[in-house]
Amino acid sequence: RALYQHAGPRLQVILDLLRFGGQRVNDTLRIRRTDLVEDGIRFVQQKTGAKLIVGWTPELRDAVERAKTLNGNVRALTLLHNRRGKAPDYSTIKIQFDKARRAAGIEDVTLHDLRAMAATEAKSQGKNPTALLGHTSEQQTRRYLRSKEEPIVEAASFRRLIDKQTK
C-alpha cells in the first residue's frame, strides 16, 4: 500500500495488472487491445511461448478500464502506451517503480515480486498458480510461492497399539 501511494496513475495501473494478472512484466507492458477478449486477457508469453487467458475479475477489469483512460485520447495498439502511442519499456517502468519504492521507504521489493504475489494469492484461494503463471510444472511454480503458512499435518495414531497392549 505504501508503494502504491507513491506511484503515479500509470504505475498504479501497471502494479494492478501485474498483481491481478500474474504475468511477467514485459508481457504485461505489451498487452495489445486485441488481447482483451470476452473471457479475459489473452497472453502469449514471450519467454516460453505459453498461451493462456487470464479470466476477468472485477479488479482486473477495473485496472484495464483505468489503463484505457491514461494519456487522454491517444489511441494505440497496446493497452499501455506513452503519449506517442508506444508501449512503455521495462527500464522506464523500473525507474518509476524504484522511485516510488524509495519514497515509500521499502528496500526489499521488486516488480517481479508482484508475479509471486499473484501466484501465492491464487494458491491461497484454491486456484491453480501453475496455470496462472503458465508454467509446465508445479516445481517451477514453488519457487514463486511466498506463503508463510505452516502446514497442518496429521500425526500417526498409536491407539491401536495401545489397545492391544492393554488387552
Side-chain angles (χ1 to χ4, degrees):
R1 281 187 230 147
L3 188 141
Y4 198 84
Q5 291 172 347
H6 289 89
R10 182 172 79 162
L11 184 56
Q12 286 179 347
V13 166
I14 292 168
L15 294 174
D16 286 343
L17 289 171
L18 291 168
R19 189 165 52 131
F20 302 133
Q23 301 306 297
R24 291 178 181 87
V25 177
N26 277 325
D27 292 333
T28 299
L29 295 178
R30 306 274 181 288
I31 296 171
R32 299 172 66 87
R33 288 181 178 267
T34 56
D35 294 330
L36 306 176
V37 297
E38 185 177 334
D39 294 329
I41 303 175
R42 180 185 303 118
F43 288 92
V44 178
Q45 296 180 343
Q46 274 184 321
K47 182 176 177 181
T48 64
K51 296 178 182 180
L52 58 106
I53 295 175
V54 176
W56 291 118
T57 63
E59 298 87 357
L60 188 57
R61 275 194 193 275
D62 177 66
V64 167
E65 291 307 313
R66 285 184 291 125
K68 289 177 181 179
T69 68
L70 297 172
N71 296 317
N73 62 359
V74 174
R75 296 288 294 171
L77 296 175
T78 56
L79 175 64
L80 299 164
H81 54 275
N82 58 26
R83 290 182 199 104
R84 295 182 309 271
K86 302 283 186 193
D89 58 76
Y90 177 85
S91 60
T92 301
I93 300 308
K94 184 175 182 328
I95 289 167
Q96 293 171 357
F97 178 85
D98 287 341
K99 182 178 177 183
R101 179 186 54 76
R102 284 190 301 273
I106 301 170
E107 294 297 320
D108 60 347
V109 68
T110 70
L111 274 169
H112 303 284
D113 290 332
L114 295 167
R115 183 164 159 84
M117 185 179 186
T120 302
E121 187 59 26
K123 183 174 186 214
S124 75
Q125 293 176 18
K127 297 176 182 174
N128 185 342
T130 301
L132 175 66
L133 299 182
H135 288 161
T136 55
S137 74
E138 288 182 25
Q139 182 180 356
Q140 287 176 292
T141 304
R142 278 195 293 272
R143 293 182 305 193
Y144 283 81
L145 299 177
R146 302 288 192 261
S147 178
K148 304 293 187 230
E149 246 177 53
E150 293 180 9
I152 299 174
V153 297
E154 288 189 47
S157 172
F158 290 91
R159 174 56 56 203
R160 190 179 59 160
L161 293 174
I162 294 169
D163 289 344
K164 283 183 181 179
Q165 290 174 351
T166 58
K167 288 184 182 182

